Amino acid sequence: MEEILENLNEFIKLNSSSQGGRRIVCVTSGGTTVPLEQRCVRYIDNFSSGNRGAASTENFVKAGYAVIFLYRRGTCQPYCRSLPDDPFLECFEFSDKTNIQGSLLKLPFSTIYEYLQMLRLIAEALKDVGPCSMFYLAAAVSDFYVPWKSMTEHKIESGSGPLDIRLAQVPKMLSVLRSNWAPKAFCISFKLETDSKILMEKATKALRKYKVHAVVANELSTRKEEVVVVSSSGNVVVRRECDKPESFVEDNLIRLIVDRHSTYIKESHN
Ligand code: PAZ
């Protein structure tokens, strides 16, 4: 944690003092795991590939943002989305000429515990960046978990019949992020549903409940084609440009989010 904090503070200092104070976004990406044993052998996982987070990160860097990429280990990485998942690729480094490294800090997590701790660390470190900071919370965060204290230490025995596990609700950290950790940051959360009939209702509810600046609503089967940005100024459907094979929904989505962030910064200075 000490090393992470040192890198984080250095990254924020470098970027908030360069070019008259660069905007900094924390992009969360991929899914959190829920360990079932303290000496973890088994865990609950989810489907998230990290594609949304990685593609969005590339677009934020292109728009001039410095990005803190909080990602699930082993999921999709920016600038490597179309490459095979091969650990050999980790051996390559960015050439200095691109200057992408100075704009991108990658921090990995696996468990729900690591994710929440890291998110808090980042939010508190970004507090002084105020309205120029943004949280873009695309990670699929577990809703249920086994609290550490009620978790068995050793591997769960397999010979004792069906397994009953009681999962507790993960505390909703979004409210704490908004009200305590980083109250001045621009905040975008995501809502995923598999039943399109309830998607918009849930997203609108989340907008009101967590007082975020917008909720990106998406449905599992169409998430790569379209999303809806739900905010107090109405709902905007954002689509991938179907006639361009190299286009992604994130290209148009990030353009819209960056515009909204600019308005937010202007209004905060008035
Ligand atoms: O990671 P991915 O590209 O496969 O999927 C992205 C996503 C669906 C996880 C993301 O767009 C999202 O909706 N995240 C929040 C999920 C939730 O409701 O918890």
Side-chain angles (χ1 to χ4, degrees):
M1 275 297 176
E2 255 172 48
E3 200 185 318
I4 294 172
L5 193 59
E6 209 173 288
N7 288 341
L8 189 58
N9 284 334
E10 199 181 316
F11 181 83
I12 294 171
K13 198 169 144 201
L14 182 85
N15 282 293
S16 54
S17 58
S18 79
Q19 299 168 11
R22 207 167 176 191
R23 297 180 192 180
I24 305 179
V25 58
C26 170
V27 174
T28 70
S29 183
T32 58
T33 66
V34 172
L36 299 183
E37 299 117 345
Q38 287 182 353
R39 300 192 192 194
C40 182
V41 174
R42 302 186 185 94
Y43 55 85
I44 302 173
D45 205 350
N46 75 61
F47 77 97
S48 173
S49 64
N51 203 70
R52 171 91 72 225
S56 303
T57 293
E58 291 174 24
N59 279 285
F60 276 123
V61 171
K62 209 159 127 191
Y65 280 67
V67 182
I68 300 167
F69 183 59
L70 181 60
Y71 72 99
R72 162 75 183 279
R73 274 186 196 86
T75 55
C76 234
Q77 296 295 297
Y79 308 103
C80 305
R81 283 183 292 138
S82 46
L83 296 177
D85 184 12
D86 187 339
F88 177 65
L89 292 170
E90 294 286 313
C91 305
F92 289 88
E93 286 177 2
F94 288 112
S95 91
D96 282 346
K97 278 183 223 134
T98 64
N99 198 27
I100 282 170
Q101 263 182 313
S103 314
L104 179 58
L105 178 68
K106 296 209 251 175
L107 300 174
F109 67 83
S110 294
T111 67
I112 176 78
Y113 299 109
E114 284 175 322
Y115 172 82
L116 292 176
Q117 263 184 308
M118 302 271 280
L119 186 65
R120 179 176 188 165
L121 209 69
I122 296 167
E124 290 183 339
L126 278 174
K127 213 169 195 169
D128 291 343
V129 182
C132 287
S133 64
M134 185 197 313
F135 285 82
Y136 179 89
L137 305 168
V141 181
S142 327
D143 287 319
F144 302 100
Y145 78 127
V146 185
W148 190 256
K149 282 184 186 149
S150 56
M151 203 188 287
T152 150
E153 182 185 350
H154 293 285
K155 185 183 166 202
I156 297 169
E157 297 269 349
S158 60
S160 43
L163 177 64
D164 283 325
I165 303 175
R166 195 176 165 79
L167 299 174
Q169 189 137 28
V170 171
K172 294 288 180 201
M173 301 319 279
L174 195 47
S175 317
V176 189
L177 175 87
R178 288 288 299 125
S179 52
N180 295 358
W181 297 347
K184 292 191 177 144
F186 190 63
C187 192
I188 307 295
S189 73
F190 278 70
K191 177 57 79 186
L192 172 80
E193 291 296 338
T194 52
D195 180 353
S196 56
K197 287 187 223 97
I198 59 170
L199 177 62
M200 298 317 292
E201 183 195 321
K202 291 268 184 144
T204 311
K205 223 169 164 184
L207 181 77
R208 261 188 255 121
K209 184 167 178 193
Y210 301 112
K211 299 186 175 67
V212 289
H213 300 96
V215 177
V216 180
N218 52 174
E219 205 232 298
L220 185 66
S221 58
T222 56
R223 71 188 192 281
K224 294 190 176 168
E225 302 304 317
E226 69 167 50
V227 298
V228 183
V229 178
V230 177
S231 70
S232 57
S233 56
N235 300 350
V236 181
V237 182
V238 180
R239 291 199 178 87
R240 185 176 82 82
E241 287 169 47
C242 305
D243 49 336
K244 292 188 192 157
E246 285 305 300
S247 120
F248 301 96
V249 69
E250 289 81 8
D251 303 340
N252 291 336
L253 174 62
I254 302 310
R255 221 169 282 138
L256 178 76
I257 299 291
V258 167
D259 259 11
R260 296 277 176 95
H261 190 200
S262 301
T263 309
Y264 175 73
I265 293 171
K266 259 188 231 143
E267 283 171 358
S268 311
H269 289 323
N270 289 339

